Every structure is written in C-alpha cells, then in structure tokens.
Amino acid sequence: MNDRRIRKAIFPVAGLGTRFLPATKSIPKEIMTLIDRPLIQYAIDEAREAGIEEFIFVTSRGKSALEDYFDESPALAAELDRKNKTELAKVLESTNMDSGAIAYIRQTRPMGLGHAVWCARRLIGDEAFAVILPDDVIAGQTSCLKQMIDAYQQVGGNMVAAMQVPKNKTSDYGILGATDTSQRIVPVNAMVEKPSPETAPSNLAVIGRYILSPDVLSALDGAGLGVGGEVQLTDAIAKQISANGVYGYRFEGQRFDCGSKAGYLQATVAFGLAREDLRDELMAYLYDLVPSQVLAS
Ligand code: G1P
C-alpha cells in the first residue's frame, strides 16, 4: 500500500457556535446552510473528492441534528420518487454515506482544537490523516484537500493549507514562518498560534485543512494549554518542523470564513451567483441595490 495514501479525515464539530447565537441555540452551526446545503455537506463533498473513505466527527452535546443529517431517509426518497421529483431525489441521494463510513466521537470538555483532534486518536491509529474545519469553506476548480493530497504525495511530512492575510489579522490565525513563501509548497520553519502583528513571523496564515502524521497525535498526548487556555493543534504541529517537516500549501481557490457573519454572508452571495438557478435573479437584485447603497453612504 502507498504509505502516503490519506483515507481518514477528522471533522472537529464540537464548538458551541456562539457567534451565531441565537440560531445555534438549537441548531449546530455546521447544519446552517449556504443556499440549501449545510456547511458540513461542503466539507464532506470536499473530502470525498479527495478520496477520503472514513469520516470521523468530533462532536459534543447538542449536535444530534448533525448525526441525524447523515441518516438515509427512505420515506422521503420514496415520496420524491412517487411524485417524479427526480432532480430532488438525486440531490438527496448525493448526501448518502456508505454504511459504517462515519464515526462520531464526543469531546466531553471544550478544550480546544488540539484536544478535539486528539479525541479521535484511537480511530486514526498509526496512519497519516486529514483534518477539515467546516467553517472554512473553499470554492475552487479542484477541492483544496485534493490539491493538498497531490502535493503531499510528493513531499510527505505534514501539510497545512496556507493563505496570505492582512498583517492586522494575524491574531485570528495560526501563522507560518518561512524563508521563501513564493512557491506553492512552502517549507515552514516556525508556527505560532494567533500572534500579534508585531510578533507574527509572517502574514501567511493556516487555513482549516491539514494533512498530519500520527506523530502529531503523540505530541497532543498530555499537551499543555496554549493561547486562549486551549490545547492548540498548531503547537503540536510545530513540534514536527524538525522531525518530519511541515509544509504550507498555498491552495488555489477562494476561502470564505463561515465562522464569521460577514464571511458567511459573502459566501452566500458568491455561491448564489455561482448557481445557474439563482444567478440572474440575484444579480438583478444586487445590480439595483448596490449603487443605491453606495450613493446613500
Ligand atoms: C483555527 C486554528 C488556526 C487556524 C484557523 C483557520 O482557529 O487554531 O490555527 O488558522 O482555525 O480557520 P479558530 O478559527 O478555530 O480560532
């Protein structure tokens, strides 16, 4: 077997989603929709396109709607069939997962992203794996994770998706240090979680796609608390710089921060404009609306 094959992906979905209260009082943030597909569906589609076969969700209390979402709905499928709603039946079918392909594990205490990933260690075992943060939605020709897996086949080690961010935003991200950031694959020499602009080693930020060696899970064993009093994944990956190597991958595609309201709204507009069934109506609306808003401001 090719030892650089990536078969498993972890989806950390235990967060409380407080930025989207009151909606997240009763719906998990990952079930909120961009147009008509829940955020989690975009993450799953991306993973499937990249060849992932096992999907591991790290959940928490209040996330049962997420588990239900992945159950097949034979009654609904039969009803759509009966009414000859073939297109909708296909849409529904595209969300079905193979039996046994999904595992749910609970993070019993909110101790950060590093801790959430570590909770899945027994399901990962001793092989390299992917991590996808569903808040980061990435639109592009080829899925971001697929691009990364192709690059990982060449270089191995550990890989994180990377993107330049404005210098004043470094404290929102894990930030990479590197001597040459001009290539698509960037060898990393430092990784810092949420540094201030003054101390940040660069403005090349980690975006929520990772390919990690199982050594990262060992580094998370008994890991101390980092920034924000949480166990940080960034800190555990940083330990791999001198061991197996860490690479930033400057992906092709547009990333939307659906963990923020503004990013969510931008993604909704962009995905709406990309949809044939919505484009014309939405475009006409924006065409009328935007100039009047600009004039009024
Ligand atoms: C997490 C990671 C951070 C990364 C970011 C990408 O932060 O800890 O390193 O840059 O995701 O979205 P969070 O957004 O959960 O605070």
Side-chain angles (χ1 to χ4, degrees):
M1 183 176 112
N2 172 357
D3 66 355
R4 289 194 181 155
R5 217 175 124 205
I6 304 294
R7 299 185 313 116
K8 301 182 180 180
I10 300 177
F11 301 80
V13 290
L16 295 172
T18 47
R19 276 195 267 179
F20 284 91
L21 278 171
T24 45
K25 237 174 107 182
S26 68
I27 354 162
K29 182 179 58 174
E30 300 76 17
I31 289 290
M32 286 171 46
T33 57
L34 272 182
I35 319 289
D36 46 17
R37 290 170 93 74
L39 276 186
I40 195 65
Q41 188 67 55
Y42 291 89
I44 292 285
D45 290 348
E46 179 173 341
R48 287 213 273 213
E49 188 188 327
I52 297 297
E53 295 163 5
E54 292 184 37
F55 305 78
I56 301 165
F57 290 84
V58 182
T59 69
S60 61
R61 190 183 293 269
K63 297 282 178 165
S64 51
L66 194 62
E67 301 190 16
D68 293 347
Y69 174 78
F70 288 109
D71 283 344
E72 290 189 22
S73 347
L76 184 55
E79 188 61 10
L80 293 175
D81 230 24
R82 200 178 63 77
K83 292 189 169 151
N84 277 329
K85 298 202 166 173
T86 340
E87 284 310 310
L88 276 182
K90 271 195 219 150
V91 168
L92 193 66
E93 203 185 317
S94 73
T95 65
N96 289 348
M97 304 290 287
D98 290 344
S99 291
I102 303 189
Y104 301 96
I105 192 129
R106 241 6 205 231
Q107 183 186 28
T108 50
R109 279 181 296 160
M111 289 182 63
L113 179 59
H115 180 260
V117 168
W118 177 78
C119 287
R121 66 200 177 282
R122 293 197 180 88
L123 297 174
I124 294 294
D126 194 27
E127 60 183 285
F129 60 98
V131 178
I132 296 190
L133 308 187
D135 271 1
D136 282 329
V137 173
I138 303 173
Q141 289 278 322
T142 306
S143 90
C144 179
L145 188 63
K146 167 111 180 55
Q147 295 174 44
M148 286 172 70
I149 289 180
D150 290 347
Y152 170 79
Q153 305 290 335
Q154 299 167 38
V155 295
N158 297 268
M159 192 171 273
V160 298
M163 183 183 107
Q164 313 273 358
V165 294
K167 192 79 185 168
N168 63 357
K169 295 280 181 200
T170 56
S171 57
D172 291 342
Y173 296 94
I175 298 291
L176 303 174
T179 46
D180 179 6
T181 58
S182 65
Q183 304 300 311
R184 204 160 274 295
I185 301 176
V186 178
V188 166
N189 58 30
M191 261 182 107
V192 191
E193 182 67 10
K194 303 194 168 77
S196 66
E198 296 73 42
T199 58
S202 76
N203 64 340
L204 192 61
V206 176
I207 300 302
R209 303 290 181 274
Y210 305 78
I211 298 174
L212 302 175
S213 75
D215 297 344
V216 172
L217 297 174
S218 315
L220 285 166
D221 267 331
L225 302 181
V227 167
E230 296 188 334
V231 179
Q232 295 295 348
L233 184 58
T234 298
D235 298 344
I237 303 172
K239 296 207 170 104
Q240 287 294 300
I241 293 173
S242 53
N244 294 315
V246 175
Y247 300 92
Y249 183 79
R250 294 173 55 242
F251 57 94
E252 257 178 274
Q254 191 178 1
R255 174 255 184 178
F256 296 95
D257 175 11
C258 290
S260 82
K261 285 174 213 175
Y264 199 95
L265 207 51
Q266 287 158 17
T268 303
V269 174
F271 278 73
L273 289 173
R275 284 263 297 250
E276 245 172 64
D277 58 334
L278 299 171
R279 185 188 302 127
D280 293 350
E281 213 172 317
L282 181 57
M283 188 87 98
Y285 172 70
L286 293 174
Y287 198 79
D288 281 349
L289 178 78
V290 173
S292 61
Q293 290 289 314
V294 171
L295 283 176
S297 67

